[in-house]
Amino acid sequence: MNVMAIDYGTKRIGVAIAKSQLAEPLAVFENDQNIFNQLQNVIDEHQIEHIIIGLSENDMADQTREFAQEMENVIELPFEFVDETLSSHEVEERLKQQGVKQALRQGPIDHFAAAIFLEEWLEQFKIN
């Protein structure tokens, strides 16, 4: 199953995909009026069959749910929420361990965060 992960943010949306048991960071899109067209292009190009959306905590979780409701009206694919708490922190730590300079670590890493929680979901999916 080809799966797309979305790391929702009010300014940027990170996207990762998996066509096997390996998640691949794909892109970071501006969260603007074109976002659903851009996501649909990814879906079409990569033949996505399922979407997972990272869900954090508090107000951001509410905003993510609102985004998902809007998406559901435009994109006709099944989706589910997964816990994405600390995924961005984990990406920063991994990049730091790999010697990536701080200036690059502070840039858009949303697609890497999406890949982290997509990998976790794939592991769970594989087991069940």
Side-chain angles (χ1 to χ4, degrees):
M1 173 181 353
N2 295 345
V3 182
M4 176 171 72
I6 296 175
D7 181 31
Y8 175 81
T10 56
K11 295 181 183 178
R12 294 182 308 268
I13 293 179
V15 175
I17 61 168
K19 296 182 180 182
S20 64
Q21 287 299 119
L22 184 61
E24 173 186 341
L26 185 69
V28 176
F29 298 114
E30 293 299 316
N31 187 356
D32 59 20
Q33 69 276 6
N34 297 318
I35 189 60
F36 295 120
N37 288 333
Q38 292 173 310
L39 294 176
Q40 188 64 56
N41 289 340
V42 171
I43 289 165
D44 294 343
E45 181 180 341
H46 296 280
Q47 300 174 338
I48 300 300
E49 302 164 73
H50 190 74
I51 300 172
I52 63 168
I53 302 172
L55 194 61
S56 59
E57 300 172 327
N58 304 320
D59 189 41
M60 197 61 190
D62 294 336
Q63 291 179 36
T64 303
R65 285 186 187 97
E66 288 174 20
F67 169 81
Q69 285 178 337
E70 289 179 43
M71 184 186 78
E72 190 173 28
N73 293 328
V74 180
I75 296 175
E76 297 181 10
L77 278 178
F79 71 90
E80 65 184 279
F81 294 107
V82 297
D83 182 17
E84 69 106 5
T85 308
L86 300 178
S87 60
S88 294
H89 176 72
E90 186 174 340
V91 169
E92 290 173 17
E93 286 300 312
R94 285 186 186 187
L95 292 174
K96 187 176 181 180
Q97 289 173 357
Q98 292 175 4
V100 175
K101 296 183 187 227
Q102 184 174 3
L104 294 175
R105 290 194 318 259
Q106 292 178 337
I109 60 169
D110 311 85
H111 57 320
F112 293 122
I116 295 283
F117 62 78
L118 179 53
E119 282 180 3
E120 292 170 359
W121 182 87
L122 289 168
E123 281 299 313
Q124 212 174 28
F125 184 73
K126 183 174 135 184
I127 293 169
N128 294 333

